[in-house]
Structure formats: structure tokens, C-alpha cells
Amino acid sequence: FLHLRGHKTLRKHCTEKYHNITTWTSKLCLFFPISTQTCHTELHAGQYYTLPPAHMRTLFPHGLPPRFQMQMKTFNEACVMVRQPALELITCLRKADYSEPALRYVLYGEKGCGKTLSLCHVLHFCSTQGWLVLHIPDAHLWVKNCRELLPSSSRPGRFDQPIQALNWLKNFKTTNEHFLSKIKTTQRYVWTKRESTEEGRPLGELVDQGVSRVKSSSDVVGALLRELRLQAGGAAEGAFRLAVAVDGVNALWGKTTLKKEDKSEVLPEELTLIHNLRKMLRNDWCGGAILTTLSQTGSLFKPRSAYLPMELLGEEGFDNMDPFVPIPVSNYSDKEFESCYLYYLDRNWLQHPHSRTEDGKKELIFLSSRNPSILERLCAFL
Amino acid sequence: MAIYQDSIRVQDCFGTLHKRAGPSPPAVSFPVGRAAYSLGLTASNGVERQGLPERGNQGQRRQRRAVEPRTERMTVDQDWTAVYPTAASFKPNSVPLPVRMGYPVKRGVPPAKKGNLELIKIPNFLHLTPEAIKKHCEALKPFCTEWPAALDSDAKCEEHFPIQVESKAYVSAGPSLRNPNARIITLTVKLSSLNLDEHARKKLIRLSGERYNKDTDTLTITTDSCPMKQQNYDYAMYLLTVLYHESWKTEAWEKEKTRADMEEYVWEDSPSQKNILETLLRMRPLGEKEEEGEVREELLGRVEVQEYKDSVTKLKNEGETETNMQQYKEAVKKLLNI
């Protein structure tokens, strides 16, 4: 149901104060609760919907863009615009056949267009449908600025990143608490001479092992990924669907800035976390979907203007990800811009009197060229 | 004394003017010495230099009288080749154009042409107007033969004479008649007019390196290593012959050409093909009686797979654009039944 939150009073309020705004229509700036999320269709494009705070805390301990988190804190609610790329992804996910190998989707677009937020929207949809969400918030964080790089205990040529693995395991635990007791391991894992995880133990134990024993956390991540891959979409009663979401997937096939002790560069394959994640992104498992985003923002050695998949993924990346469905994310359309503008007005975010006039709106359109992140930054000043 | 001098001055002016124009005025007697010095005084100069002729008498400086610039007497339909028959520097009084050149003074305009050093410094082509060139051509015609009537279009020239040789001859007056730049020969040929198969064409392009222009499909060989033009021409023809014959040969080590050496992307045996075959096989697992080879062939023959192949080849060869990406997306969607 569409719950119009004080729509009539809002309209009157607006027509009194902002009589310049003639484009106020009833279609825009409607807020509706979470239960209708499953029936998002093309009609809802451009409208905002609120995510309940309880969901936000569990689902997104680490996934949201930092500016959106600030906005959430300011407005005291998480309001996301329903946009066409996310809708397209959701329709594909609904229609897909989960007995076939996992499909790969790549969201690409210019900087600040809303790729990460679209991904979060889709992940929210997945979690409401009861999927297990495996969210790597930014793969670039795993290939740069790593203080501790330990040689791997299990394999001679590889390197572990205990801190990153630990952080990620903690966040994974928060997100998927209810799954951890249901899924069981299928194999015995030996960590050290004294510690091992037996077959048939719940996954929660595996995760706790990683959290408590920091040195083996990267291997734990590898084991976790393997377990999930084997068990997703199985015919057993505990079957679940797996959504693998990687933001900044071009980091996996790019260069790293990490150096070994003899100052030679570390290749991405030599990092345990990256190696295991690459295995995850292959479509040799069924019962889920792989949702990825390309990101130039954190990328290493890529020019600022690169945004197309082949530019950012490179030859190797493209060959590995192929075949995938590329989904372009663009700047706001007219309707979406209207919606965003009215949302900010409604929240009293635009304080400057000139910004509330038609001229002010045209200025905003011109200055931001309808780019979501630039618009957000501009409005923060007003 | 001052009054007497003023009257002399006026008379001097009249005297000079009248001298040029026509019959002499009624004789005004003034001292001979003065007459000798007053010849050639211009109207303006007379005012300024009143003091000087008296002082500079000893130097006997002759000052030219002002002459009207030639431009005043030029008609619109004059023969320009007579004004500038050869390359000459810019003469402001011979060029009837109000040209301005140079950095403008503050809040002003670029300086005029009179006494403008900038215009004199630069090379000009006033001696090469179309009229002048027509006259040159007419003068050279007795030394030329007729253009063959059958070659009336570029295409026919290209067809009958695919190899074009350019050379320059220099004529100048100086201590020596020779010009070392005259030995350079440039030979251009289009590869489409040569008899080459795929392998030979790729090899020839690789051997010629920078000398090949992809857009116009021409090979350009420039030779200047020999001292004489004839020798350079022979060398250029030799190079062309060698390139042609060598490109037809296949060496033993050419078998080791890897994917990285290929000039353009070939979809067969690429990781993309392997991926798509694996995916399709996983989607439709092998039956008991079916053999893998047959299934592969069948899968590759499907229309969607061909479309996918086209889109990937286009992406890799032509580079990435939005349209290419859209095409790829459609192909993948059809293939994976989305």
C-alpha cells in the first residue's frame, strides 16, 4: 500500500511558501514502508523508500558509502531512491533460474552516479527475500595500505592479511547471524597442531575461530567462502540462496601497492583473500547471484576518467568475468532530479532562500549536471 | 631678419613645387647658394629643419624630395606580376593593401604598414599569385609533353600506375648549382594493389613498421642514403621488391606466434570462448550418449553464441563504447536466458 505521509499538508505548505514550484505532482516524493519493497516496479522509479533502522544496523555494518551514512545520521532515517539500474537488477534476480550457474552482474558508471547505493538497495531486497548476503564493501581496501602482511601458514607463496580478514569476519557475523547456526561444515579444517574444526560443526564456530585466532583469519575466510559455495542452492532442507556482492571488483585484477620485504611488488594472486575471492567469482556454483560494482575512486593506477568495464577491469579481469551482464548507472534523469530536490526541500536541508526558487533549481542542475554525489555535496552547503 | 627668412621659406616651398609640376614661375631672384640647398625640401621638413640646413651647410646633405608612393598610381586591373616579378621583401609603397601587423600599442591598433619591420621580416608570396603561376606554367609548357588522354581520373591513374615516385628538383643561383636535397626519393604504393594474402599482408605491415599508414593503406618508402637520385630510386625499388618477396615466405619460427602477438582479437580459442562453453555446458549437462566434441560444435553453431562472439570481437577490436556495451549486454542476456 502506498502510505502518503502527510501528503496533503505538505502540498499546502509548499504551495503557500514555494509558490514558484509548479512541478509539484503527487507522483513524486512519496514515502512508503518496507513491506512494499518486493513489488517495486517501473512505476515507482524516482520515488524514495525508507529502510527500517533495525535492518540497517544488521545488513550494512560496512557497506554504505560514507556520505550516505552521514546523511542517515542527519536525517535520522535511511531513504533511498528507487532507480532504474536497481530495478533492472531486481527483475533479473526475480526471474533467474537458480538451478543454473550463478549469473554475474556488473554495475558501471561515472564517478558519483550511485553504483554503490544501487548495490545496497539490491542487497536489501535480497536479504528481505531471505538470501545469505556476502558483502565485500570495498575490494580496494584489501590491496592497499596493509600494515601487517604475514606469509601464509598454509601455503608457501601467499600472504595473509589478518586485520582486514578479522574486520570482515566480524561484519559478516553481524549480517548473517541467523544463518551461522544452520549451515554446517562439510570438511575438517586444521588450523594449527592443536586447533581444528571438525566436520559437521556450525559455521558460527568457524567464524568465531577466525575472530579469536587472528593469525588464521585469512584462511578461515577462505574456508568460509568454500563452504558457502558448496552449499548454496543445494536441494537440502537448509538450502539458501547466496548473494555475493563485491564493490570495486576491479581491484582483484589490478595492481597492488603492497611490497614484500625485498621491495618487490605483491601480485593480487599472492594474497590469500584475493585468491579466494576470485574463486568465488567464478560461475561454477549455482543457487545465487554475483553482483559487482566497478569503482575508479579507490582504484590504483587507473586514470580519473576511466569508467567503462574494459578500462577498469583490464584484459585479465574481463576474461575472468566474462560472460557478465553490464548494467550502466547514469546521472539523475529529470524526474529523479526533481524527486531528490523535493526530498531535500521536504527535509529542510536546503536552507538558502534562493535555492528554493526556480532559478535556484536551474542553478543546481547546471552546477551538478545532475550527478548525485555532486548534488549532495552542493546541497550540503546550502 | 626673421620676417625676411619667413618669406624666403614660403618662396622656397613654392619654388620647389612649381619646379615639379609644370612651367616655371616668374623668376624670383634669391641668392644662388640658398637655391642649391633649398632643392628637395619637403613641405613638412621645411618647418622642422629650418635650423639645420643653416648649420649643416658644411655637410652638404642632400635630402630627397618627397615622392608620391607607387600605390597612388596603380589601377585596379594592373599587371601585378610586373610589380612583384620575383621574390622580394615587402615594400609598403608598392603594395596597395592597408595591412597592419604587430602588437598593438596600448588602447590602440596594430601599427600600419609604413616603416613596419615586422612585415619586411616575414616571407611573403606576393610574387606567386595565381596569375604569376599561370605565367610560369605557360613558360614551362614548351618543355612538357601532353598528359595522356586515357588517364582522366585518379582511379585510372591508381589502377595503371600503382607505384608513385616523388622527387624534387631545385633551381637557384648561387656559388654551386647542386642541391643535396635533390637526391631524396619518396615511393608510395597502396597495399591493395599488391598481390598479397592474409599472412603476407600482416607480415609486410609488421616489416615496414612506421612506413605503413593504416588509414590510407599506403606504404611510403623514403630513401636518401645514396648520393645520387638515380641510386636512391633503385634502392627504393629494391626495398619494395625485398619486402614483397619476404612477406610471402614463412619462416620456421613463425609457428610460435602467440595470442599476445596477434594484431587483432580472434575469438576462437580465447578465454571468452572457453568461459561461455563451460557456462553453457554447466547449464545443460552432458547426456549419456552425447559426446563432448559434438555438443561443443552444436553450441558454437547457435545464433546467440554467434551474436555473443560478434559483440565480444567488436568490443576488443574497436574499443569500448556505450553502444558496444549495450550490444554485449543484449547478447549475454539472450544467451543466458535472462
Side-chain angles (χ1 to χ4, degrees):
Chain A
F1 304 112
L2 300 173
H3 169 68
L4 311 177
R5 208 204 294 173
H7 165 64
K8 287 200 184 105
T9 48
L10 208 54
R11 188 180 193 168
K12 196 167 138 208
H13 181 60
C14 282
T15 44
E16 277 166 14
K17 261 201 173 173
Y18 320 126
H19 47 267
N20 289 333
I21 302 174
T22 49
T23 50
W24 184 270
T25 59
S26 58
K27 271 203 293 180
L28 300 167
C29 214
L30 289 170
F31 304 95
F32 45 92
I34 199 61
S35 57
T36 60
Q37 198 223 343
T38 48
C39 23
H40 279 176
T41 57
E42 301 291 319
L43 295 171
H44 302 140
Q47 293 167 12
Y48 275 84
Y49 85 93
T50 336
L51 300 162
H55 278 212
M56 297 305 292
R57 257 178 278 122
T58 46
L59 187 55
F60 295 123
H62 57 170
L64 293 169
R67 284 204 75 102
F68 186 71
Q69 283 174 353
M70 289 193 314
Q71 188 181 308
M72 253 168 53
K73 218 163 116 181
T74 321
F75 292 165
N76 234 1
E77 63 179 6
C79 249
V80 174
M81 198 200 297
V82 174
R83 287 180 79 192
Q84 201 275 329
L87 281 175
E88 201 183 321
L89 252 186
I90 293 180
T91 17
C92 289
L93 288 176
R94 269 204 221 122
K95 287 192 206 160
D97 183 358
Y98 290 104
S99 57
E100 291 187 349
L103 290 166
R104 287 180 279 216
Y105 303 92
V106 174
L107 285 163
Y108 71 95
E110 298 207 351
K111 190 168 161 160
C113 274
K115 305 181 280 287
T116 314
L117 216 48
S118 301
L119 188 68
C120 295
H121 179 163
V122 178
L123 281 181
H124 186 255
F125 165 78
C126 292
S127 78
T128 49
Q129 301 281 303
W131 293 31
L132 199 159
V133 167
L134 195 85
H135 187 39
I136 287 112
D138 193 358
H140 292 297
L141 295 173
W142 288 0
V143 295
K144 56 181 181 179
N145 297 340
C146 179
R147 302 258 175 80
E148 276 185 28
L149 201 65
L150 304 173
S152 166
S153 40
S154 47
R155 296 251 188 320
R158 294 216 206 117
F159 292 92
D160 275 355
Q161 285 154 301
I163 313 176
Q164 275 88 350
L166 182 67
N167 281 335
W168 186 77
L169 278 173
K170 283 192 199 153
N171 289 327
F172 177 75
K173 199 168 159 184
T174 335
T175 317
N176 297 303
E177 201 77 63
H178 50 283
F179 277 109
L180 292 176
S181 43
K182 289 191 218 157
I183 309 175
K184 309 273 187 249
T185 55
T186 54
Q187 193 196 316
R188 184 164 182 263
Y189 295 103
V190 180
W191 309 121
T192 58
K193 278 195 207 145
R194 276 170 251 164
E195 288 161 17
S196 65
T197 311
E198 300 297 327
E199 196 179 319
R201 307 296 301 155
L203 264 188
E205 225 183 83
L206 199 64
V207 178
D208 289 328
Q209 167 73 30
V211 169
S212 49
R213 291 274 173 275
V214 181
K215 273 216 167 134
S216 51
S217 48
S218 316
D219 292 323
V220 165
V221 171
L224 182 69
L225 292 178
R226 186 173 166 274
E227 289 300 320
L228 291 173
R229 205 164 56 232
L230 289 173
Q231 296 189 31
E237 30 152 281
F240 58 91
R241 292 209 190 136
L242 181 61
V244 180
V246 186
D247 202 334
V249 75
N250 45 323
L252 301 183
W253 291 286
K255 290 195 206 171
T256 67
T257 48
L258 306 172
K259 297 231 182 336
K260 298 182 216 172
E261 275 158 9
D262 54 355
K263 310 272 181 172
S264 61
E265 211 181 275
V266 175
L267 298 168
E269 300 80 67
E270 293 175 4
L271 294 168
T272 334
L273 288 174
I274 305 288
H275 180 88
N276 290 321
L277 196 53
R278 278 196 198 178
K279 280 199 273 185
M280 199 70 192
L281 290 182
R282 282 184 7 216
N283 60 350
D284 46 3
W285 53 277
C286 3
I290 303 174
L291 315 158
T292 63
T293 324
L294 295 174
S295 163
Q296 191 279 330
T297 319
S299 69
L300 300 161
F301 308 107
K302 290 278 181 225
R304 166 86 167 76
S305 54
Y307 73 95
L308 289 164
M310 279 185 75
E311 285 170 346
L312 285 174
L313 284 173
E315 286 277 343
E316 207 195 328
F318 186 84
D319 288 334
N320 276 308
M321 287 294 283
D322 190 39
F324 62 90
V325 180
I327 300 180
V329 182
S330 55
N331 286 332
Y332 281 152
S333 64
D334 285 334
K335 194 171 148 196
E336 287 169 351
F337 180 85
E338 282 286 334
S339 178
C340 186
Y341 178 73
L342 291 168
Y343 174 65
Y344 285 141
L345 273 183
D346 176 60
R347 286 273 152 276
N348 283 329
W349 191 230
L350 297 171
Q351 290 288 318
H352 198 283
H354 185 62
S355 63
R356 294 171 178 182
T357 59
E358 263 308 304
D359 277 343
K361 198 167 110 180
K362 283 188 192 150
E363 252 187 65
L364 279 175
I365 296 182
F366 176 73
L367 282 172
S368 62
S369 75
R370 297 212 191 88
N371 183 291
S373 82
I374 298 183
L375 178 65
E376 198 260 313
R377 274 161 219 261
L378 278 175
C379 294
F381 287 118
L382 298 170
Chain B
M1 196 55 186
I3 301 165
Y4 174 67
Q5 276 181 351
D6 282 348
S7 61
I8 289 289
R9 202 189 322 149
V10 167
Q11 274 178 345
D12 283 345
C13 296
F14 279 140
T16 52
L17 281 171
H18 276 292
K19 272 196 169 67
R20 261 189 274 147
S24 56
V28 177
S29 61
F30 41 80
V32 175
R34 253 194 214 279
Y37 301 134
S38 64
L39 276 171
L41 266 179
T42 57
S44 53
N45 273 352
V47 178
E48 290 155 20
R49 291 175 184 261
Q50 181 53 27
L52 282 175
E54 288 169 349
R55 269 191 267 140
N57 268 349
Q58 266 69 34
Q60 295 211 5
R61 274 188 75 192
R62 284 183 140 259
Q63 269 133 5
R64 282 185 293 151
R65 66 179 77 135
V67 183
E68 167 192 68
R70 189 173 163 181
T71 51
E72 311 276 318
R73 282 180 281 133
M74 281 181 177
T75 54
V76 178
D77 53 355
Q78 67 169 341
D79 180 20
W80 182 255
T81 52
V83 181
Y84 267 87
T86 48
S89 59
F90 184 87
K91 297 181 186 86
N93 287 341
S94 300
V95 179
L97 301 167
V99 181
R100 287 181 174 272
M101 177 149 167
Y103 193 81
V105 283
K106 228 179 182 180
R107 303 178 66 201
V109 292
K113 65 177 177 177
K114 192 136 180 184
N116 194 333
L117 193 60
E118 302 293 321
L119 281 165
I120 300 174
K121 282 195 293 192
I122 56 167
N124 65 66
F125 291 95
L126 294 162
H127 58 292
L128 289 177
T129 50
E131 267 292 327
I133 294 183
K134 277 201 189 98
K135 283 194 179 171
H136 295 328
C137 289
E138 287 303 322
L140 286 172
K141 271 213 165 97
F143 303 103
C144 300
T145 54
E146 281 266 335
W147 182 261
L151 294 175
D152 45 8
S153 73
D154 272 341
K156 283 194 187 159
C157 292
E158 197 49 57
E159 185 197 328
H160 295 287
F161 300 98
I163 301 180
Q164 291 172 356
V165 178
E166 285 167 19
S167 65
K168 289 182 187 166
Y170 295 80
V171 173
S172 61
S176 156
L177 285 175
R178 317 280 175 204
N179 192 323
N181 291 340
R183 75 186 196 285
I184 303 174
I185 292 281
T186 309
L187 189 144
T188 36
V189 65
K190 280 211 166 156
L191 290 194
S192 46
S193 50
L194 295 173
N195 177 23
L196 298 165
D197 70 350
E198 261 315 301
H199 160 263
R201 196 194 144 81
K202 285 188 183 154
K203 188 164 176 181
L204 187 80
I205 293 173
R206 216 180 255 264
L207 283 172
S208 42
E210 272 195 5
R211 296 174 187 82
Y212 176 71
N213 183 346
K214 212 164 51 159
D215 299 324
T216 56
D217 190 34
T218 38
L219 173 67
T220 311
I221 300 176
T222 310
T223 39
D224 62 352
S225 21
C226 307
M228 304 305 292
K229 191 188 291 193
Q230 174 67 32
Q231 294 168 339
N232 277 320
Y233 172 75
D234 290 337
Y235 181 47
M237 293 305 286
Y238 163 74
L239 281 180
L240 182 64
T241 323
V242 163
L243 273 174
Y244 177 78
H245 288 296
E246 282 299 316
S247 63
W248 270 101
K249 295 184 201 163
T250 312
E251 302 284 336
W253 41 261
E254 282 185 38
K255 284 201 298 284
E256 295 161 23
K257 194 175 183 188
T258 57
R259 269 193 89 77
D261 295 321
M262 297 284 179
E263 288 86 4
E264 46 173 36
Y265 183 77
V266 173
W267 192 71
E268 278 74 31
D269 288 335
S270 69
S272 169
Q273 190 197 26
K274 285 192 209 105
N275 285 349
I276 197 72
L277 279 176
E278 276 172 17
T279 319
L280 288 173
L281 279 174
R282 268 184 231 128
M283 276 164 57
R284 207 198 73 148
L286 281 176
E288 290 168 1
K289 293 180 195 166
E290 286 165 350
E291 271 190 31
E292 203 181 312
E294 282 176 15
V295 176
R296 248 179 74 108
E297 291 309 316
E298 188 211 357
L299 284 174
L300 284 175
R302 276 166 59 184
V303 177
E304 294 102 359
V305 179
Q306 292 299 317
E307 263 184 40
Y308 174 77
K309 167 188 167 186
D310 290 332
S311 64
V312 173
T313 325
K314 213 168 157 189
L315 263 181
K316 294 259 183 178
N317 280 338
E318 289 172 28
E320 253 184 318
T321 53
E322 285 291 328
T323 35
N324 284 353
M325 266 290 142
Q326 282 296 104
Q327 212 182 354
Y328 176 74
K329 183 175 163 184
E330 298 304 316
V332 171
K333 274 185 158 175
K334 265 194 233 170
L335 203 51
L336 303 176
N337 304 324
I338 301 173

